[in-house]
Amino acid sequence: MAELTYAVETQGAVMTGEAEFARRTEPFRKELLAHCYRMLASVHEAEDVVQETYLRAWRSYSAFEGRSSIRVWLYRIATNACLTALEQRGRRALPSGLGAPATDLAPGPAAADVAFVEPMADSLVLSESSDPASIVTTRESLRLALIAALQYLPAKQRAVLILREVLAFPAAEVARMLDTSVAAVKSTLQRARARLDETAFGEITEPTDPHAQALLAEYITGFENADTAALERALRADAAIEMVGTTTWFNGRVMCLRVLAEAVGSPGDWRMLPIVANGQPAVGAYVRSPAGDYEPYGVAVLTPTPTGLTRISVFSTPSLVTRFGLPATLPAD
């Protein structure tokens, strides 16, 4: 009887511990996912690292002494898990970071040996209950150009810059997270700032802004109605199109319009559903099949500015549409 009582009490203690652990750690899951995504530029890799972070945290929770906050402790585990993951692979990129723009319309071959930056749905890291200021700040730190630029930094510089500049952790906290000195953190941050491409912080209009919504509407109209005039109105003179998954990208409104004019086909060939990715307006794209319904094509992330769209990043991966919570197919009109 004593053994049975001990077993029941032990099981109850474990269940109580799990509940307490979940209560204290779950509120940070979405922001940890955003952090790991900034480090890794891959949604599925970030999700894996967050799962690993929570597993490691649970295993060592009984030894947590409260010398730092739960949030700092989780970030320490997550950041070091990201650094370990980065030791095993090269950086991710966008086509514009791999070479010069294309000078003709011939599609480039798929680059199977290149790891590309992946788009992230805002809904994965933002809650409807978040305050507006927090939403804006998070979106700014997830812009596609910034995520791509971060990948050019060495892993330790990337970690320090994100922890200090994006998340605003004190230098002393960052030093403890990375088992280094405050002086080393400050020096690393200076080098990271010097290397980071300034274009990563260019002016981008919020996706909820009426002007950004108008540009999104022009883009959707252009494709669904095969209306190249609408696309021309939306594009800035220095606009670029990136065909993610290949090394091909196009630069300048004239060249981009040639690409788009060839892509739009006939009215009704495309259906576009608006979404938000990386804090930017985007669409889930569907193309009409021979049967008349619409099959998924992928996701296009738009970069709106006060003077027009400056970049269209096309991710021609059909499975992306369902990752953004969209239907796997659309019925015929």
Side-chain angles (χ1 to χ4, degrees):
M1 179 64 72
E3 291 180 356
L4 178 59
T5 301
Y6 174 76
V8 171
E9 289 176 348
T10 301
Q11 181 68 17
V14 170
M15 293 177 66
T16 301
E18 289 178 347
E20 179 190 348
F21 174 78
R23 177 182 61 80
R24 298 183 69 185
T25 62
E26 280 301 317
F28 304 109
R29 186 178 287 271
K30 285 196 171 188
E31 64 176 270
L32 285 169
L33 180 59
H35 174 57
C36 293
Y37 173 70
R38 296 182 194 106
M39 287 289 295
L40 302 170
S42 163
V43 177
H44 72 273
E45 287 183 12
E47 289 173 336
D48 288 345
V49 170
V50 170
Q51 287 295 101
E52 182 182 348
T53 296
Y54 274 80
L55 181 59
R56 290 186 187 182
W58 167 242
R59 286 173 174 169
S60 58
Y61 182 60
S62 60
F64 177 64
E65 299 176 347
R67 294 179 182 176
S68 64
S69 69
I70 282 282
R71 180 172 182 263
V72 170
W73 181 60
L74 289 171
Y75 268 97
R76 174 179 181 144
I77 297 171
T79 302
N80 283 284
C82 286
L83 292 174
T84 300
L86 288 168
E87 291 174 359
Q88 302 167 13
R89 67 158 173 83
R91 68 177 176 86
R92 289 181 176 269
L94 291 174
S96 56
L98 299 174
T103 56
D104 60 59
L105 301 186
D113 58 336
V114 178
F116 288 96
V117 173
E118 296 176 0
M120 168 173 266
D122 277 29
S123 58
L124 291 177
V125 294
L126 290 172
S127 302
E128 293 182 1
S129 59
S130 302
D131 68 273
S134 174
I135 290 175
V136 170
T137 300
T138 300
R139 281 175 170 163
E140 288 176 349
S141 68
L142 293 172
R143 305 297 194 200
L144 207 53
L146 176 58
I147 297 299
L150 286 171
Q151 307 314 301
Y152 285 86
L153 298 178
K156 186 64 74 67
Q157 288 186 20
R158 195 183 312 173
V160 168
L161 187 137
I162 292 169
L163 291 168
R164 290 285 290 121
E165 300 281 90
V166 176
L167 297 165
F169 281 114
E173 291 279 20
V174 175
R176 282 192 288 272
M177 288 182 195
L178 301 176
D179 292 320
T180 188
S181 66
V182 172
V185 167
K186 292 180 178 179
S187 174
T188 302
L189 180 60
Q190 286 182 334
R191 293 197 301 274
R193 285 171 173 165
R195 293 185 62 162
L196 193 63
D197 188 348
E198 288 298 323
T199 60
F201 300 99
E203 185 179 12
I204 299 178
T205 308
E206 274 288 295
T208 54
D209 183 271
H211 181 62
Q213 289 291 303
L215 292 172
L216 175 63
E218 293 274 35
Y219 183 82
I220 292 174
T221 296
F223 265 86
E224 293 191 338
N225 298 340
D227 184 352
T228 55
L231 294 169
E232 184 173 8
R233 289 192 297 270
L235 294 180
R236 214 166 72 170
D238 60 350
I241 296 176
E242 300 195 85
M243 308 303 295
V244 185
T246 76
T247 59
T248 303
W249 66 289
F250 305 94
N251 195 35
R253 181 195 284 146
V254 172
M255 191 65 179
C256 288
L257 284 172
R258 289 177 61 196
V259 173
L260 293 171
E262 187 170 283
V264 295
S266 303
D269 281 352
W270 292 89
R271 291 281 302 278
M272 302 276 171
L273 298 182
I275 53 177
V276 181
N278 293 83
Q280 300 171 219
V283 296
Y286 298 78
V287 63
R288 185 159 52 187
S289 73
D293 59 351
Y294 290 85
E295 299 293 334
Y297 175 83
V299 165
V301 181
L302 312 182
T303 303
T305 72
T307 52
L309 295 178
T310 187
R311 189 164 297 263
I312 302 168
S313 301
V314 180
F315 298 84
S316 53
T317 304
S319 61
L320 278 175
V321 299
T322 54
R323 286 192 65 87
F324 277 79
L326 299 176
T329 60
L330 294 178
D333 290 338

